[in-house]
Amino acid sequence: MKVLKFGGTSVGSAQRMKDVAKLITGDRKIVVLSAMSGTTNSLVEISDYLYKKNPDGANEIINKLAMKYMGHVEELYSTEEYKQKAKELIKSHFEYIRTFTKDLFTLFEEKVVLAQGELISTGMMNLYLNECGVKSVLIPALDYMRTDKNAEPDPVYIKEKLVKLLADNKDADLYITQGYICRNAYGEIDNLQRGGSDYSASLIGAAIGAEEIQIWTDIDGMHNNDPRIVQGTSPVRQLHFEEAAELAYFGAKILHPTCILPAKLNNIPVRLLNTMQPDAPGTLISNAIEKGKIKAVAAKDNITSIKIKSGRMLLATGFLRKVFETFENYQTPIDMVTTSEVGVSVTIDNRKHLEEIVDDLKKYGTVTVDEDMVIVCVVGDLEWDNIGFEARIVQAMKDVPVRMISYGGSNYNVSLLIKASDKQRALQALSDHLFNNK
């Protein structure tokens, strides 16, 4: 059985829901849906008004969103019976959201409000499939998707509950479920954070031993560079799980960095496909590697580099420990690290505690900060004995000033730190030199 996930843009209108319905009918499968595009942002805005104790502002957004959904109902369903069922479904969810305008609003209530988007979209899709004569059934994510006391998914619980739900509905052709939402270890409604619908699909695929996990978006697979700012990009047809994870972490927005780990561990291939071009081959992610091939380039913005230089570092034990403990004390992750005999340079993407970190680091040496930087990462099979790939990368960057270079922590990634003002020029040069043979 396959698991198919459709993002918010893929179910963002009545017509797109109809298009998705055509794609999913046929073989027996589990379909994971996000909220309709724009819904989660509106629910966040409603929550913001409620935190500020402004029920009138919240009700105004609630009414707008409810009217938008009622418009979708008129377009999506053809019979009065199903139009009425869908209107009752939508009305019940929005009436529930309105109950939160009357009482104390906390993070717990916010998570309940945010869950309504997925509950509405899956309810609407299931009704539409039933109207079309498809034997589909709604499998509520809140009945099986759970995190443990460390806020990590509980795979044993998920598998046990999901397998039972599928067995209880074994006559169904399609199983519709929600992405993103779950319960925590205490039974409260929670979520898997943004990008969590991809994670849901991967966890479901791992739980049932799926044949394949498909992530459907509005882009034809993962491109070899950022098509928004680089000319001549093309989809990458095959990626190793590690290559995909590097690209996702360093800025390829099509995939959430954490989502493919359950699939990787269970050796389940993940295919990225385009709802707007369903016949396009997309990108296949698996444990297979294409030897010696550079696959893609990605960039991570809003980076700050920090250099700590100290004559005392020479042959001194404990220096690096003190530096890294400083970042740990402020719960600030480090992206890149380069070292020399007298100093160390690191990069961070969270500036929240930058001032305190710099003050603490001044105990150990002279500190220099460079802001508004970008990490460019080149991804592929970059084993150290694959001769020549470093030269190709450096040659492509010959006209771009590079602040740091990092290689060796991974066999799949070379990272370069540059100024944000050089980003477009660097990405285009890498594409031209590595992929377009210019």
Side-chain angles (χ1 to χ4, degrees):
M1 188 156 51
K2 293 180 181 179
V3 177
L4 280 63
K5 175 260 173 179
F6 292 87
T9 53
S10 296
V11 290
S13 67
Q15 185 54 54
R16 289 195 174 176
M17 278 196 167
K18 290 179 181 179
D19 293 340
V20 167
K22 289 176 187 172
L23 287 172
I24 62 180
T25 50
D27 298 336
R28 199 160 166 257
K29 56 183 74 74
I30 298 177
V31 178
V32 182
L33 299 182
S34 299
M36 294 181 80
S37 57
T39 299
T40 301
N41 288 337
S42 294
L43 294 173
V44 168
E45 190 177 0
I46 289 164
S47 299
D48 191 41
Y49 277 116
L50 294 177
Y51 274 123
K52 292 178 169 65
K53 297 182 172 55
N54 182 352
D56 292 339
N59 276 317
E60 191 172 326
I61 306 300
I62 291 168
N63 292 338
K64 277 184 188 174
L65 192 58
M67 288 301 294
K68 182 179 175 183
Y69 271 96
M70 290 303 180
H72 291 317
V73 167
E74 292 300 325
E75 289 183 57
L76 185 58
Y77 305 97
S78 56
T79 65
E80 286 304 317
E81 178 191 355
Y82 277 91
K83 283 182 183 179
Q84 192 57 39
K85 285 182 179 180
K87 285 176 181 178
E88 286 171 6
L89 168 82
I90 291 163
K91 186 181 175 185
S92 68
H93 282 285
F94 281 102
E95 282 179 352
Y96 184 44
I97 294 171
R98 284 190 183 92
T99 64
F100 295 102
T101 64
K102 299 165 187 172
D103 296 311
L104 180 70
F105 196 78
T106 68
L107 182 62
F108 169 74
E109 284 80 21
E110 180 185 18
K111 287 178 177 177
V112 177
V113 169
L114 294 183
Q116 303 310 305
E118 280 72 19
L119 294 171
I120 295 170
S121 66
T122 50
M124 288 175 67
M125 177 61 83
N126 192 54
L127 284 174
Y128 178 69
L129 290 166
N130 290 163
E131 185 184 45
C132 295
V134 178
K135 219 171 170 184
S136 71
V137 65
L138 208 52
I139 302 290
L142 299 178
D143 288 354
Y144 67 86
M145 190 64 71
R146 188 176 78 168
T147 55
D148 59 23
K149 290 182 180 178
N150 298 315
E152 293 294 331
D154 184 341
V156 175
Y157 180 94
I158 293 167
K159 181 172 183 175
E160 178 189 332
K161 297 295 181 183
L162 180 56
V163 168
K164 185 178 186 307
L165 284 167
L166 296 178
D168 290 345
N169 296 276
K170 62 179 182 293
D171 294 332
D173 296 325
L174 280 178
Y175 301 99
I176 309 296
T177 192
Q178 299 86 20
Y180 176 63
I181 66 174
C182 64
R183 291 192 187 275
N184 60 26
Y186 310 100
E188 300 161 338
I189 292 178
D190 210 325
N191 57 63
L192 297 170
Q193 306 303 316
R194 290 276 179 141
S197 291
D198 291 348
Y199 203 10
S200 298
S202 193
L203 289 165
I204 290 166
I208 66 165
E211 170 192 344
E212 182 176 278
I213 297 163
Q214 297 180 357
I215 308 290
W216 289 79
T217 67
D218 55 354
I219 301 171
D220 179 19
M222 195 175 280
H223 277 235
N224 60 10
N225 211 325
D226 189 339
R228 296 168 299 180
I229 60 173
V230 175
Q231 295 179 344
T233 68
S234 58
V236 182
R237 295 305 176 204
Q238 191 274 333
L239 285 170
H240 187 276
F241 277 115
E242 296 285 353
E243 294 170 338
E246 296 278 9
L247 289 169
Y249 180 75
F250 283 103
K253 303 297 183 188
I254 190 173
L255 199 64
H256 195 269
T258 58
C259 82
I260 53 176
L261 185 58
K264 177 193 170 189
L265 294 176
N266 289 273
N267 199 27
I268 300 168
V270 176
R271 198 179 294 275
L272 308 180
L273 294 162
N274 185 355
T275 319
M276 316 307 164
Q277 293 178 271
D279 295 330
T283 300
L284 180 65
I285 304 168
S286 69
N287 279 316
I289 186 82
E290 285 189 273
K291 287 290 183 183
K293 190 168 180 182
I294 295 176
K295 292 294 187 67
V297 176
K300 190 175 184 182
D301 298 321
N302 303 313
I303 300 296
T304 300
S305 75
I306 304 168
K307 178 165 74 172
I308 309 97
K309 186 178 176 183
S310 172
R312 289 177 293 165
M313 181 185 174
L314 187 63
L315 302 177
T317 59
F319 178 84
L320 287 176
R321 175 179 57 79
K322 291 172 185 174
V323 168
F324 291 132
E325 278 181 351
T326 302
F327 290 92
E328 183 182 354
N329 291 340
Y330 292 102
Q331 296 185 314
T332 301
I334 292 170
D335 284 317
M336 285 176 69
V337 182
T338 58
T339 64
S340 74
E341 284 298 322
V342 293
V344 57
S345 288
V346 302
T347 68
I348 59 173
D349 63 2
N350 181 351
R351 293 169 39 85
K352 185 177 179 182
H353 297 292
L354 178 62
E355 194 173 323
E356 299 101 304
I357 289 169
V358 170
D359 282 344
D360 284 1
L361 289 173
K362 283 179 179 176
K363 299 171 189 174
Y364 312 121
T366 305
V367 181
T368 307
V369 177
D370 291 313
E371 300 181 67
D372 202 20
M373 307 293 281
V374 170
I375 296 175
V376 174
C377 90
V378 180
V379 168
D381 175 36
L382 307 180
E383 290 274 1
W384 66 276
D385 54 358
N386 289 341
I387 296 169
F389 68 82
E390 309 96 327
R392 293 172 63 198
I393 294 167
V394 171
Q395 178 63 23
M397 298 289 284
K398 69 182 189 303
D399 297 322
V400 180
V402 177
R403 166 70 180 78
M404 288 168 63
I405 299 177
S406 177
Y407 169 71
S410 160
N411 292 328
Y412 302 94
N413 171 27
V414 174
S415 294
L416 307 104
L417 184 69
I418 62 171
K419 294 177 184 175
S421 56
D422 291 324
K423 175 184 172 181
Q424 194 277 335
R425 188 158 60 107
L427 293 184
Q428 189 66 60
L430 285 163
S431 260
D432 290 344
H433 203 81
L434 300 177
F435 310 127
N436 301 337
N437 299 317
K438 287 188 181 178

